[in-house]
Amino acid sequence: MKALVYDGPREVHVKDVPDARIEQPTDVLVKITSTNICGSDLHMYEGRTDLEPGMVLGHENLGIVAEVGKAVVKVSPGDRVCLPFNIGCGFCRNCEEGLTAFCLTVHPDPKMAGAAYGFAGMGPFWGGQAEYLRVPFGDFNCLRLPEDAQDKEADYVMLSDIFPTGWHCTRLADMQPGDSMVVYGAGPVGLMAAYSAMIQGASKVMIVDRHPDRLELAEQIGVIPIDDSKGDPVEQVLEQTGGQGADKGCECVGYQAHDPQGHEDAAMTMNRLVDSVRFTGHIGVVGIFLPQDQNGPDELERNGKIAFDMGKFWFKGQKVGTGQANVKHYNRQLRDLIHQGRAKPSWIISHELPLAEAESGYQHFDARDDGWTKVVLHP
Ligand code: NAD
Ligand code: ZN
């Protein structure tokens, strides 16, 4: 089959690889029809991880069931399904509690929790930027889509990651109706966090970035854009909130945070969030901070040890929630919001490309070229 393979830093190629196939009786084989490029793919693409060349990337997948293993009972060939980027077993302690991003059985290393497709450090599972994807524990991981699956495919594919991830960030921040919210990062994830806050009834949502195209997109859904190339973002948030700071905050950048001049400081957004959120406010963090042993060897090396101002955080009595999104915990409800016309996350898509053009999609998205907000590939 054709697939997008990681061959090294900034080297991804569409090539022939062995076909994905059923390996376990609980597996489902999905013919992929839509698969997104994610900001998380860029950690691998930019060489910030220790991913070995040869991995098929792609963890934001949707398609049609092609074949099912003997033990699969819930889905059948022909069903249209969306796949959470995390692979859960459904029966470990964490999966039972809805914490599927921290599944205790799927990752082959018993010291690890959580598994995902096409991801450094998250197990050997190939991704779906390919013609076919093997889905372990298919009954648990396949989200069946309703009769409008084809018409709304661009919306439903966002259920694989960024819509639930943005939503998760607002839940980590314990956002309540009427709260004000500030989101750092207007990439796809930050835009989905701001959108989720709007849907859940935030009184005022602000988003910080410096890319005019991304800020304009946010403005179109009623979010207040804050351009940090035009002045201190903290001051701008305080001005918007009567000097107190926002009730809640979302971190949607991660360890690749930098200033508008390109100077990297992995702690920048966390420290700015502490300053931008009021005393006793809550902060959700979905931007990725990789542990040290997952970093690449080159000059882009970053780790989880950041210069975070714990003193100020403590003094303000704030709370923080972190981690990968438990996509499975949210995606049925979010699917139903889409089905009922109450959510339409496809508004962030800028480009739809055939899989054969994936390399150029990666280049443009990685460069944050003007207008390249979210790329969907069609194998
Ligand atoms: P992205 O790289 O497209 O977006 C990041 C945005 O942050 C960019 O627009 C960039 O200009 C902006 N930015 C950089 N420094 C900034 C700063 N100091 N202040 C404000 N904005 C700044 O990526 P994305 O797809 O939106 O993903 C964002 C993060 O979320 C990544 O770290 C990604 O790996 C992570 N992620 C986490 C999960 C999860 O489950 N927790 C899921 C998906 C993605
Ligand atoms: Zn993703």
Side-chain angles (χ1 to χ4, degrees):
M1 65 174 184
K2 295 273 185 229
L4 186 284
V5 178
Y6 173 78
D7 284 327
R10 291 197 164 79
E11 289 288 339
V12 292
H13 302 108
V14 178
K15 51 168 104 162
D16 286 309
V17 300
D19 287 347
R21 57 181 182 84
I22 301 278
E23 294 175 19
Q24 298 290 334
T26 46
D27 285 353
V28 165
L29 187 71
V30 175
K31 183 175 165 49
I32 297 298
T33 56
S34 289
T35 175
N36 305 334
I37 304 178
C38 177
S40 298
D41 291 321
L42 301 181
H43 304 315
M44 274 85 72
Y45 182 75
E46 293 175 3
R48 291 170 182 264
T49 72
D50 58 3
L51 186 69
E52 295 287 335
M55 173 65 99
V56 174
L57 299 184
H59 59 269
E60 302 194 358
N61 304 308
L62 178 152
I64 303 167
V65 173
E67 198 184 328
V68 299
K70 285 194 172 62
V72 172
V73 293
K74 202 182 78 182
V75 291
S76 318
D79 286 351
R80 286 177 188 270
V81 293
C82 187
L83 296 321
F85 79 86
N86 348 81
I87 310 169
C89 67
F91 52 76
C92 72
R93 175 186 176 169
N94 285 347
C95 282
E96 276 182 354
E97 291 179 6
L99 305 171
T100 53
F102 304 92
C103 171
L104 296 168
T105 66
V106 174
H107 198 295
D109 178 349
K111 293 191 297 297
M112 287 289 293
Y117 307 99
F119 228 98
M122 302 292 278
F125 309 98
W126 274 9
Q129 290 168 8
E131 289 177 281
Y132 289 90
L133 176 73
R134 173 190 163 228
V135 178
F137 298 108
D139 275 333
F140 186 66
N141 290 304
C142 290
L143 176 74
R144 271 189 311 195
L145 300 172
E147 61 285 357
D148 55 3
Q150 240 178 315
D151 294 344
K152 294 187 175 175
E153 181 156 330
D155 294 304
Y156 287 129
V157 70
M158 300 307 161
L159 294 171
S160 56
D161 181 348
I162 59 166
F163 189 20
T165 294
W167 194 278
H168 182 57
C169 201
T170 65
R171 301 322 316 143
L172 288 173
D174 192 30
M175 202 208 87
Q176 302 298 323
D179 276 350
S180 56
M181 166 65 81
V182 59
V183 178
Y184 273 77
V189 170
L191 290 170
M192 284 294 110
Y195 186 50
S196 300
M198 296 290 283
I199 293 174
Q200 292 170 64
S203 54
K204 187 176 219 177
V205 183
M206 297 151 277
I207 196 162
V208 181
D209 208 299
R210 68 293 302 252
H211 289 293
D213 56 325
R214 294 180 172 200
L215 291 171
E216 273 162 31
L217 213 50
E219 206 171 3
Q220 282 169 23
I221 60 156
V223 172
I224 297 166
I226 293 189
D227 187 338
D228 71 350
S229 68
K230 302 220 167 105
D232 182 356
V234 174
E235 288 303 322
Q236 297 184 65
V237 174
L238 295 179
E239 257 167 50
Q240 289 282 348
T241 52
Q244 292 288 305
D247 294 315
K248 305 288 160 65
C250 285
E251 205 290 345
C252 300
V253 181
Y255 68 160
Q256 73 273 29
H258 49 90
D259 65 21
Q261 287 73 44
H263 170 253
E264 292 206 31
D265 171 5
M268 184 183 299
T269 49
M270 284 307 295
N271 287 328
R272 286 182 169 167
L273 270 161
V274 170
D275 287 338
S276 302
V277 169
R278 70 172 165 87
F279 280 75
T280 73
H282 295 205
I283 298 167
V285 184
V286 294
I288 285 183
F289 294 82
L290 288 176
Q292 201 159 19
D293 60 1
Q294 282 181 27
N295 292 320
D298 62 13
E299 74 281 1
L300 290 170
E301 188 166 357
R302 278 283 169 278
N303 62 54
K305 293 173 188 160
I306 62 169
F308 175 60
D309 189 342
M310 184 66 197
K312 195 178 272 179
F313 176 65
W314 184 90
F315 188 70
K316 290 187 83 169
Q318 294 172 335
K319 289 201 176 97
V320 67
T322 61
Q324 304 266 8
N326 305 300
V327 169
K328 168 90 182 173
H329 183 65
Y330 305 101
N331 69 358
R332 184 186 54 74
Q333 296 92 316
L334 300 185
R335 174 198 67 190
D336 293 349
L337 283 182
I338 292 171
H339 181 56
Q340 296 300 332
R342 305 256 299 123
K344 205 175 171 357
S346 60
W347 61 272
I348 67 157
I349 296 174
S350 58
H351 294 80
E352 297 198 53
L353 305 175
L355 180 65
E357 290 173 33
E359 290 173 39
S360 119
Y362 267 85
Q363 281 160 12
H364 288 291
F365 182 57
D366 181 51
R368 276 88 183 175
D369 280 339
D370 199 31
W372 287 76
T373 323
K374 186 72 178 173
V375 182
V376 186
L377 304 170
H378 300 294

